Amino acid sequence: MKTLKTYSKFIPYLYFIAVIIYWFTDVNKSEGLTAYPILLFGIPFLWQLIKPNEKLNFSLGITFVCLSSYMILAYLSDLLNIINISYETKPFLIMGGFFVVGNFVMALWMVRNSIKKVF
């Protein structure tokens, strides 16, 4: 149980790194070399795995909580039919919902980890 607690703090960073790698491979298939700047988004998360920094952890957490909150509002506005979306994008709503909730939970987990270190 102790090893689970020590490694559980790395789960949000590994999640975001996995999302960045998936995003890179998806864009790289269609765009080629222009997809490589996407890998720069993974640097802060790799840095947190190698040499953790409390300020960077908190700022990453707050940034992604704000971005995830915006995505949740956009997702809810689509579910409530406030805005119209074409039928071609409807199949992506289920996977998008998992992605939105996953991002929000991982961002809250990062904020929780940084608050636990402060107190």
Short mmCIF file of all heavy atoms in Angstrom, two decimals, residues 8 10 21 23 26 33 38-39 49 51 63 68 70-71 79 88 90 93 112:
data_model
loop_
_atom_site.label_atom_id
_atom_site.label_comp_id
_atom_site.label_asym_id
_atom_site.label_seq_id
_atom_site.Cartn_x
_atom_site.Cartn_y
_atom_site.Cartn_z
N SER A 8 1.32 7.03 -6.81
CA SER A 8 0.04 7.58 -7.27
C SER A 8 0.14 9.08 -7.59
O SER A 8 -0.66 9.59 -8.37
CB SER A 8 -1.05 7.35 -6.22
OG SER A 8 -0.81 8.11 -5.07
N PHE A 10 2.27 10.41 -9.41
CA PHE A 10 2.76 10.56 -10.78
C PHE A 10 1.70 10.29 -11.84
O PHE A 10 1.92 10.55 -13.01
CB PHE A 10 3.94 9.62 -11.03
CG PHE A 10 5.12 9.90 -10.14
CD1 PHE A 10 5.63 8.93 -9.31
CD2 PHE A 10 5.71 11.15 -10.12
CE1 PHE A 10 6.71 9.18 -8.49
CE2 PHE A 10 6.79 11.43 -9.31
CZ PHE A 10 7.29 10.43 -8.48
N ILE A 21 1.30 12.51 -26.30
CA ILE A 21 1.87 11.56 -27.27
C ILE A 21 0.80 11.12 -28.27
O ILE A 21 1.06 11.02 -29.47
CB ILE A 21 2.51 10.37 -26.54
CG1 ILE A 21 3.77 10.83 -25.82
CG2 ILE A 21 2.82 9.23 -27.49
CD1 ILE A 21 4.37 9.80 -24.90
N TRP A 23 -1.87 12.83 -29.15
CA TRP A 23 -2.15 14.00 -29.98
C TRP A 23 -1.06 14.16 -31.04
O TRP A 23 -1.33 14.43 -32.20
CB TRP A 23 -2.27 15.22 -29.10
CG TRP A 23 -2.62 16.50 -29.77
CD1 TRP A 23 -3.33 16.68 -30.92
CD2 TRP A 23 -2.29 17.81 -29.32
NE1 TRP A 23 -3.45 18.02 -31.20
CE2 TRP A 23 -2.82 18.73 -30.22
CE3 TRP A 23 -1.59 18.29 -28.21
CZ2 TRP A 23 -2.69 20.10 -30.08
CZ3 TRP A 23 -1.45 19.65 -28.06
CH2 TRP A 23 -2.00 20.54 -28.99
N ASP A 26 -1.36 11.41 -33.76
CA ASP A 26 -2.53 11.65 -34.61
C ASP A 26 -2.26 12.78 -35.60
O ASP A 26 -2.58 12.67 -36.78
CB ASP A 26 -3.74 11.96 -33.73
CG ASP A 26 -5.02 12.00 -34.53
OD1 ASP A 26 -5.21 11.13 -35.40
OD2 ASP A 26 -5.84 12.92 -34.28
N LEU A 33 5.98 16.93 -40.33
CA LEU A 33 6.94 17.63 -39.47
C LEU A 33 6.33 18.75 -38.65
O LEU A 33 6.89 19.12 -37.61
CB LEU A 33 8.08 18.20 -40.31
CG LEU A 33 9.05 17.18 -40.89
CD1 LEU A 33 10.06 17.88 -41.79
CD2 LEU A 33 9.75 16.43 -39.79
N ILE A 38 4.17 20.05 -30.90
CA ILE A 38 3.23 19.52 -29.90
C ILE A 38 4.00 18.86 -28.76
O ILE A 38 3.58 18.90 -27.60
CB ILE A 38 2.24 18.54 -30.56
CG1 ILE A 38 1.33 19.29 -31.52
CG2 ILE A 38 1.44 17.77 -29.54
CD1 ILE A 38 0.45 18.41 -32.37
N LEU A 39 5.14 18.26 -29.08
CA LEU A 39 5.93 17.60 -28.05
C LEU A 39 6.45 18.57 -26.99
O LEU A 39 6.77 18.16 -25.87
CB LEU A 39 7.09 16.84 -28.68
CG LEU A 39 6.71 15.65 -29.56
CD1 LEU A 39 7.94 15.07 -30.21
CD2 LEU A 39 5.97 14.61 -28.75
N LEU A 49 8.12 14.95 -13.37
CA LEU A 49 8.50 13.58 -13.04
C LEU A 49 9.95 13.47 -12.63
O LEU A 49 10.30 12.70 -11.73
CB LEU A 49 8.24 12.66 -14.24
CG LEU A 49 6.78 12.40 -14.60
CD1 LEU A 49 6.71 11.58 -15.87
CD2 LEU A 49 6.07 11.71 -13.46
N LYS A 51 12.23 16.23 -11.73
CA LYS A 51 12.59 17.10 -10.61
C LYS A 51 11.35 17.91 -10.22
O LYS A 51 11.11 19.00 -10.78
CB LYS A 51 13.73 18.04 -11.02
CG LYS A 51 14.29 18.84 -9.89
CD LYS A 51 15.46 19.68 -10.35
CE LYS A 51 15.98 20.49 -9.18
NZ LYS A 51 17.02 21.42 -9.59
N THR A 63 -4.00 25.84 -14.19
CA THR A 63 -4.19 26.08 -15.62
C THR A 63 -5.09 25.02 -16.24
O THR A 63 -6.04 25.33 -16.97
CB THR A 63 -2.84 26.10 -16.35
OG1 THR A 63 -2.03 27.13 -15.78
CG2 THR A 63 -3.01 26.33 -17.83
N SER A 68 -10.05 22.73 -18.36
CA SER A 68 -11.02 21.65 -18.27
C SER A 68 -12.41 22.17 -17.94
O SER A 68 -13.41 21.63 -18.44
CB SER A 68 -10.59 20.62 -17.22
OG SER A 68 -9.35 20.06 -17.57
N TYR A 70 -13.60 25.04 -18.88
CA TYR A 70 -14.08 25.58 -20.14
C TYR A 70 -14.56 24.46 -21.06
O TYR A 70 -15.61 24.57 -21.71
CB TYR A 70 -12.98 26.39 -20.82
CG TYR A 70 -13.35 26.88 -22.19
CD1 TYR A 70 -14.26 27.91 -22.35
CD2 TYR A 70 -12.81 26.28 -23.32
CE1 TYR A 70 -14.62 28.36 -23.60
CE2 TYR A 70 -13.17 26.71 -24.58
CZ TYR A 70 -14.07 27.75 -24.72
OH TYR A 70 -14.42 28.17 -25.95
N MET A 71 -13.82 23.36 -21.11
CA MET A 71 -14.23 22.23 -21.94
C MET A 71 -15.51 21.60 -21.43
O MET A 71 -16.36 21.15 -22.22
CB MET A 71 -13.11 21.18 -22.02
CG MET A 71 -11.96 21.63 -22.85
SD MET A 71 -10.68 20.42 -23.25
CE MET A 71 -10.69 19.24 -21.98
N LEU A 79 -24.54 19.19 -25.16
CA LEU A 79 -25.51 18.21 -24.69
C LEU A 79 -26.89 18.83 -24.49
O LEU A 79 -27.91 18.19 -24.71
CB LEU A 79 -25.05 17.56 -23.39
CG LEU A 79 -23.91 16.56 -23.52
CD1 LEU A 79 -23.53 16.03 -22.14
CD2 LEU A 79 -24.30 15.41 -24.42
N GLU A 88 -21.72 15.00 -38.21
CA GLU A 88 -20.42 14.34 -38.35
C GLU A 88 -19.63 14.34 -37.05
O GLU A 88 -18.80 13.48 -36.81
CB GLU A 88 -19.58 15.00 -39.45
CG GLU A 88 -20.11 14.80 -40.84
CD GLU A 88 -21.18 15.80 -41.21
OE1 GLU A 88 -21.21 16.90 -40.62
OE2 GLU A 88 -21.99 15.49 -42.10
N LYS A 90 -21.05 14.32 -33.95
CA LYS A 90 -21.79 13.68 -32.86
C LYS A 90 -21.12 12.40 -32.33
O LYS A 90 -21.12 12.17 -31.13
CB LYS A 90 -23.23 13.37 -33.29
CG LYS A 90 -24.09 14.59 -33.49
CD LYS A 90 -24.41 15.27 -32.20
CE LYS A 90 -25.34 16.45 -32.47
NZ LYS A 90 -25.66 17.16 -31.28
N LEU A 93 -18.70 12.74 -29.35
CA LEU A 93 -19.15 13.28 -28.07
C LEU A 93 -18.91 12.32 -26.91
O LEU A 93 -18.57 12.75 -25.80
CB LEU A 93 -20.63 13.65 -28.14
CG LEU A 93 -20.94 14.89 -28.96
CD1 LEU A 93 -22.43 15.15 -28.98
CD2 LEU A 93 -20.20 16.08 -28.42
N ARG A 112 -4.54 18.97 -5.82
CA ARG A 112 -4.58 18.32 -4.51
C ARG A 112 -3.18 17.92 -4.05
O ARG A 112 -2.82 18.10 -2.88
CB ARG A 112 -5.49 17.10 -4.55
CG ARG A 112 -5.74 16.52 -3.16
CD ARG A 112 -6.31 15.16 -3.25
NE ARG A 112 -5.16 14.27 -3.37
CZ ARG A 112 -5.24 12.96 -3.42
NH1 ARG A 112 -6.39 12.38 -3.44
NH2 ARG A 112 -4.16 12.23 -3.51
#
